[in-house]
């Protein structure tokens, strides 16, 4: 059973930065398929960034709207997942969730697909960007 706890959300002005953290526990190691999702009020949940590290190096996938601004990374020793968010825009506002899949996936794209119906989710952390 994996527990995921997010932190680092807050309210900042457009152009600012935030760093989200997700602490994973209850598992022997950081799951190699993890990601960040967000959901704005009235909108569907979307995958922001995912990382697949089964081969040793992280293979990351970003949604187009955050490419060049967000960076997903992990710390295996600490069993942490991070999302560095720069040049934030009002449209980045939403609840951000960390997710993990512990069943077998074999590619970065199958990892991303499986995260849509992930085994484990955190409780979320709110990000609010004002213009």
């Amino acid at each position: 059973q994996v527990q995921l706890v997010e932190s680092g959300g807050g309210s900042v002005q457009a152009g600012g930065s935030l760093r989200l953290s997700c602490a994973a526990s209850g598992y022997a190691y950081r799951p190699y398929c993890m990601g960040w999702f967000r959901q704005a009020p009235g909108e569907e949940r979307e995958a922001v960034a995912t990382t697949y590290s089964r081969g040793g190096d992280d293979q990351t996938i970003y949604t187009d709207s955050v490419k060049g601004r967000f960076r997903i990374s992990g710390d295996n020793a600490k069993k942490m997942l991070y999302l560095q968010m720069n040049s934030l825009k009002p449209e980045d506002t939403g609840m951000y969730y960390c997710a993990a899949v512990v069943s077998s996936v074999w590619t970065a794209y199958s990892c991303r697909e499986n995260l849509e119906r992930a085994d484990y989710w955190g409780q979320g952390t709110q990000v609010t960007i004002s213009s």
Side-chain angles (χ1 to χ4, degrees):
Q1 187 89 3
V2 178
Q3 292 84 44
L4 302 173
V5 178
E6 303 97 334
S7 60
S11 298
V12 298
Q13 290 190 324
S17 298
L18 285 172
R19 188 194 194 204
L20 306 185
S21 299
C22 172
S25 61
Y27 209 61
Y29 49 85
R30 179 174 73 88
Y32 54 78
C33 176
M34 297 188 72
W36 289 96
F37 288 72
R38 68 185 177 192
Q39 186 166 24
E43 302 286 334
E44 291 188 357
R45 185 179 63 203
E46 67 166 340
V48 175
T50 61
T51 179
Y52 176 72
S53 58
R54 189 178 183 116
D57 49 322
D58 289 345
Q59 298 177 51
T60 57
I61 299 174
Y62 296 91
T63 192
D64 286 346
S65 63
V66 308
K67 286 180 180 177
R69 301 188 298 121
F70 290 13
R71 181 175 180 271
I72 187 172
S73 62
D75 186 324
N76 291 335
K78 296 180 179 178
K79 293 193 280 188
M80 295 290 294
L81 184 73
Y82 304 102
L83 184 68
Q84 178 66 44
M85 306 187 295
N86 300 322
S87 302
L88 284 161
K89 303 176 180 180
E91 50 264 43
D92 294 319
T93 293
M95 186 69 79
Y96 282 68
Y97 298 92
C98 174
V101 167
V102 298
S103 52
S104 296
V105 292
W106 300 101
T107 68
Y109 283 98
S110 64
C111 166
R112 187 182 186 284
E113 289 178 353
N114 279 268
L115 279 169
E116 296 283 353
R117 49 188 186 278
D119 304 319
Y120 302 103
W121 293 87
Q123 82 290 349
T125 185
Q126 179 67 37
V127 171
T128 304
I129 312 302
S130 58
S131 57

